[in-house]
Amino acid sequence: MTPLSAMTIRVLPEQLVHQIAAGEVVERPASVIKELVENSLDAGALAIDIEVEKGGAELCRVRDDGMGIAADELLLALARHATSKIGSIDDLEAVRTLGFRGEALPSIASVARMRMISRPRAAETAHMVAAVDGALTGPAPHPHPPGTTVEVRDLFFNVPARRKFLRSERTELAQIERLVERLALSRFDVGFRLSSSRKVLADHPPARDERARDARVAAMLGDDFIANAMKLDYEGSGLRLHGWFCLPTYARSQADQQYFFLNGRPLRDKLIASAVRLAYRDVLFHGRHPAYVLFLEMDPPRVDVNAHPQKLEVRFREPGLIHDFLFRTLERALAETRPTQSAAAAIPAARADWSLARSGFPTNPYPLSPDPSSAAGQQVSATDLPCSR
Ligand SMILES: Nc1ncnc2c1ncn2[C@@H]1O[C@H](COP(=O)(O)OP(=O)(O)O)[C@@H](O)[C@H]1O
Ligand SMILES: [Mg+2]
């Protein structure tokens, strides 16, 4: 190793800067797919087609029908810190898109061979740019329907140390499949298709009604999950919690069916895990884990999503309130499922609440309740699923 005294300070070449940044966001093929699909979702896509070869190491291709990128901005999209999603610190605090750091595309392009073809909805023609080993080419006209395709080949071809860390093709593919499940659970209105070497592994058409959403959940978590699931939709303190939670009798030996989304973003967060555990504490045997697919929604400024490079963790501005809301809402919903309650009394009430709660949501997702402490006291709505399929 060179002794420190012999080192000179220098500014790193741009390609190396990108590669260092890539270390944070691009761990494996699944992280490439995650970034590309999030871009498609941010672009308003309603159909997303994902193709991989060799567990994604050879090829990751994501095609969408989103808003597209203008020809004169295609190269810019590959530049570091270039984003269309925020322009000021205020935008950052209120950000609703999944991306905003402007890092994914340049990072991926620095550790793989990338082609991006895009056509804005209003444009007559599509254009392509390519990035190979730091050299950018294009934009050149290229046939493509409205929307965007990003193709990433030979991941880590120029970073042998990273390439060595890739697991077997099967393992990498399994990671991608799990990721696509999470993404598909986060957006029922969007169609997702995943194929590997032209074989379709998952095909989820847009799920526009209750039954279709149940079917999508069942396709991923199994019929047993949905047969043992209760639905919940509750709003208070400007927070909304909705989704599926399983009866304690369906508890699992592993925490493998726990999906939590905050404003459409998959989240693994200690605060949330703790609130859920607390809600189930009296009804679960020791060592058993609840299963759920839950969505929490709140006004974006109430949470700082810029706390983790892959955005898996967030910082809540009112952690105590959020914890309390989750815990009490779920605990209440669980209490309503108890067999000790008179079924005749409990179920119709729950049903009535459910339909009331539902009808209020589509118009205004974030009404603020006047008294934040009132969340705990209000009625929780849970239906008496099993959901019919
Ligand atoms: N699939 C896509 N459809 C439309 N625009 C896209 C797509 N992918 C990337 N872009 C554009 O490229 C920019 C850079 O993308 P990215 O590097 O992922 O940064 P970020 O998502 O944080 O803005 C985005 O802000 C967006 O304007
Ligand atoms: Mg992005």
Side-chain angles (χ1 to χ4, degrees), residues 256-287:
D256 60 343
Q257 293 198 337
Q258 302 186 339
Y259 294 88
F260 198 94
F261 301 89
L262 170 66
N263 291 349
R265 203 185 284 281
L267 201 63
R268 224 165 270 161
D269 191 280
K270 282 199 211 88
L271 179 142
I272 285 152
S274 141
V276 174
R277 214 178 310 116
L278 203 59
Y280 273 91
R281 78 190 181 287
D282 289 340
V283 292
L284 273 196
F285 285 114
H286 185 69

Side-chain angles (χ1 to χ4, degrees), residues 39-40 43 64 68-69 77 82-85 99-106 148:
N39 279 346
S40 299
D64 67 51
I69 308 170
T83 178
S84 56
K85 299 171 193 173
F100 52 82
R101 299 167 71 105
E103 280 186 336
L105 292 183
T148 303

Side-chain angles (χ1 to χ4, degrees), residues 185-198:
L185 283 178
S186 78
R187 287 290 301 272
F188 287 95
D189 55 326
V190 176
F192 291 85
R193 194 150 76 147
L194 169 67
S195 47
S196 167
S197 305
R198 289 169 201 281

